[in-house]
């Protein structure tokens, strides 16, 4: 069920009406759980079993981990949880990929496997993994209410496209009444409107152009191909962040606060800054559950760079089972390693590439990496790179007017966002100058309406 479809609008309306009339918090939670099950079953009812299996396994594993006082027993339960979750993910998402790779290496006929990838499996697998790991680390207590834990795993707004919400963020909010309130509803509607605008007005308008060029780049001129790469960079950002905004807005109306997932990533002035802004719940997950356990930056410079490369390589595979995604991850891993080295050589204010130059280099690198992320195969990616390098100059020109209408709007939106962020930092500064009384009064009178 797509967030921007009428089916979802009707589904959400029924859920909100149900929350309004349910007399108790327990009934509201049960309603959300049933609605989440229906939401996932809308795509393929049989895969509800797939969603329930890791949920039950991790529920009991976490309790066993918490109750056991012996380190080796706790590790065994954690290992069982990891193997079961990653095993399901590997079977559904990577069996075909590895089979094709092995067949290609040995010159064998590529197998035809009929494995349908369950929607959202990457997201809810990472969510349940973080739960059992956090319980093992004694950072959170095991949830002993099966229905509340099932609701955490299956919660429909962020089930299939994120943000990746950790149990430490979600479960403490289960004490909320979940009664609909107008101030939260107004804020949620504004966030939803922002997400719908990103998705329908920007991403969906740019998709036909990017799809056509990436399907046959050899037919088009270098400038047309370059504009398609630019269009895709805007499309994927507005598509992904738009879905996250809708999930956050819907949750705000229901009564849950989900973490921010995007913070104007194309305003980043370094690749490290980009990953602090892009898909923030994934980047923090990779940092806390992969990069740091690998050793982080605690075992010397060389090991730090290797850890960055491994983390981003696996992050690329998480996005998709293809070697093009692996290359995308390796590019970002190399970019993070180079930036870390550069920051060591030129610390603080001595760094020569900052401001506009740093932004241009970062955005150019990100767009170059998007070529491999979007291309269906390496031959397509190579053809695009040849066009951008003007090695292949042949092809027709296609001036896609919606791109040049949308681009100024995106730039304006970033300008407004950066200005608002700067003003927020000034307002929170201990050195801030108190506003005039009339301005403070006006702000107080409208803050609830325009929160």
């Amino acid at each position: 069920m797509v967030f921007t479809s009428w089916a979802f609008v009707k589904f959400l309306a029924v859920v909100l009406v149900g929350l309004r009339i349910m007399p108790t918090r327990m009934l509201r939670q049960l309603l959300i759980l049933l609605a989440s099950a229906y939401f996932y079953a809308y795509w393929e009812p049989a895969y509800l079993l797939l969603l329930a299996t890791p949920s039950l396994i991790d529920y009991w594993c976490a309790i066993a981990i918490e109750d056991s006082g012996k380190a080796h027993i706790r590790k065994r339960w954690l290992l069982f949880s990891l193997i079961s979750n990653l095993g399901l993910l590997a079977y559904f998402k990577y069996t075909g990929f590895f089979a094709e790779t092995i067949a290609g290496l040995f010159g064998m006929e590529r197998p035809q496997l009929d494995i349908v990838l369950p929607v959202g499996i990457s997201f809810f697998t990472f969510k349940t993994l973080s739960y059992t790991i956090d319980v093992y680390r004694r950072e959170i207590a095991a949830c002993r209410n099966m229905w509340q834990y099932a609701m955490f795993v299956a919660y429909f707004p962020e089930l299939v496209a994120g943000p990746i919400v950790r149990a430490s963020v979600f479960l403490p909010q289960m004490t909320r009444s979940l009664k609909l309130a107008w101030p939260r509803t107004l804020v949620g509607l504004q966030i939803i409107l922002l997400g719908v605008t990103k998705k329908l007005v920007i991403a969906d308008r740019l998709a036909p152009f990017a799809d056509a060029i990436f399907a046959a780049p050899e037919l088009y001129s270098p400038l047309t191909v370059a504009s398609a790469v630019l269009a895709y960079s805007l499309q994927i950002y507005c598509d992904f962040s738009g879905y996250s905004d809708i999930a956050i807005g819907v949750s705000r109306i229901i009564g849950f606060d989900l973490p921010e997932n995007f913070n104007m990533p194309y305003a980043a002035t370094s690749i490290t800054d980009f990953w602090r802004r892009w898909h923030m719940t994934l980047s923090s997950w990779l940092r806390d559950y992969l990069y740091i356990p690998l050793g982080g930056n605690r075992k010397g410079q060389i090991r730090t760079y290797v850890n960055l490369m491994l983390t981003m390589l696996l992050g690329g595979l998480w996005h998709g089972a293809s070697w093009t995604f692996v290359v995308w991850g390796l590019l970002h891993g190399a970019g993070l390693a180079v930036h870390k080295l550069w920051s060591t050589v030129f610390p603080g204010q001595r760094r020569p590439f900052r401001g506009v130059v740093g932004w241009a280099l970062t955005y150019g690198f990100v767009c170059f990496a998007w070529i491999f992320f979007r291309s269906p195969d390496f031959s397509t990616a190579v053809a695009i790179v040849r066009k951008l390098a003007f090695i292949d100059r042949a092809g027709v020109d296609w001036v896609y007017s919606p791109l040049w209408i949308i681009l100024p709007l995106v730039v304006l939106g970033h300008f407004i966002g950066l200005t608002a962020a700067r003003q927020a930092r000034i307002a929170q500064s201990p050195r801030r100058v108190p506003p005039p009384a009339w301005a403070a009064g006006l702000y107080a009178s409208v803050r609830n309406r325009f929160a």
Side-chain angles (χ1 to χ4, degrees), residues 14-43:
V14 172
V15 172
L16 295 180
V17 171
L19 290 175
R20 182 70 180 85
I21 63 178
M22 288 296 177
T24 66
R25 180 179 63 196
M26 185 180 70
L27 288 176
R28 296 186 197 105
Q29 291 178 353
L30 181 60
L31 172 63
I32 293 174
L33 177 59
L34 294 175
S36 299
Y38 174 82
F39 177 83
Y40 198 71
Y42 187 87
W43 171 71

Side-chain angles (χ1 to χ4, degrees), residues 77-283:
W77 283 113
L78 175 63
L79 186 62
F80 180 69
S81 172
L82 296 177
I83 291 174
S84 60
N85 281 275
L86 294 176
L88 283 173
L89 179 63
Y91 171 75
F92 283 100
K93 193 166 186 175
Y94 302 109
T95 298
F97 168 64
F98 288 124
E100 289 184 5
T101 300
I102 293 172
L105 287 174
F106 293 97
M108 301 163 59
E109 184 179 353
R110 294 189 176 185
Q112 299 296 323
L113 301 176
D114 188 19
I115 300 177
V116 179
L117 180 65
V119 64
I121 188 172
S122 298
F123 288 93
F124 66 73
T125 297
F126 270 25
K127 184 167 34 170
T128 56
L129 280 177
S130 67
Y131 168 70
T132 50
I133 294 172
D134 285 350
V135 172
Y136 175 79
R137 292 173 175 176
R138 302 191 188 280
E139 294 178 358
I140 62 172
C143 178
R144 302 197 176 242
N145 185 317
M146 183 178 292
W147 300 114
Q148 290 188 353
Y149 179 74
M151 181 178 161
F152 154 68
V153 175
Y155 182 58
F156 72 88
E158 43 87 22
L159 177 60
V160 298
I164 302 173
V165 182
R166 303 187 193 184
S168 58
V169 173
F170 191 89
L171 291 177
Q173 299 183 57
M174 296 295 289
T175 58
R176 296 183 176 183
S177 68
L178 303 184
K179 289 183 179 179
L180 300 186
W182 176 243
R184 292 185 64 89
T185 299
L186 184 60
V187 174
L189 288 174
Q190 293 178 54
I191 300 173
I192 291 172
L193 179 61
L194 175 62
V196 170
T197 301
K198 288 179 180 179
K199 179 69 174 74
L200 296 182
V201 177
I202 299 178
D204 287 0
R205 300 286 74 77
L206 296 176
F209 177 58
D211 291 346
I213 304 302
F214 275 86
E218 64 279 358
L219 300 180
Y220 300 95
S221 67
L223 291 180
T224 300
V225 172
S227 63
V229 174
L230 172 63
Y232 180 69
S233 73
L234 301 181
Q235 177 202 341
I236 189 172
Y237 165 58
C238 291
D239 199 313
F240 204 172
S241 67
Y243 268 99
S244 292
D245 289 340
I246 296 172
I248 293 169
V250 169
S251 295
R252 187 66 63 90
I253 295 173
I254 291 173
F256 290 102
D257 294 319
L258 302 189
E260 186 180 9
N261 210 23
F262 291 86
N263 181 21
M264 294 180 291
Y266 290 154
T269 55
S270 70
I271 193 63
T272 302
D273 187 27
F274 173 81
W275 278 103
R276 293 192 186 110
R277 296 168 175 266
W278 177 273
H279 204 343
M280 295 185 289
T281 56
L282 173 64
S283 58

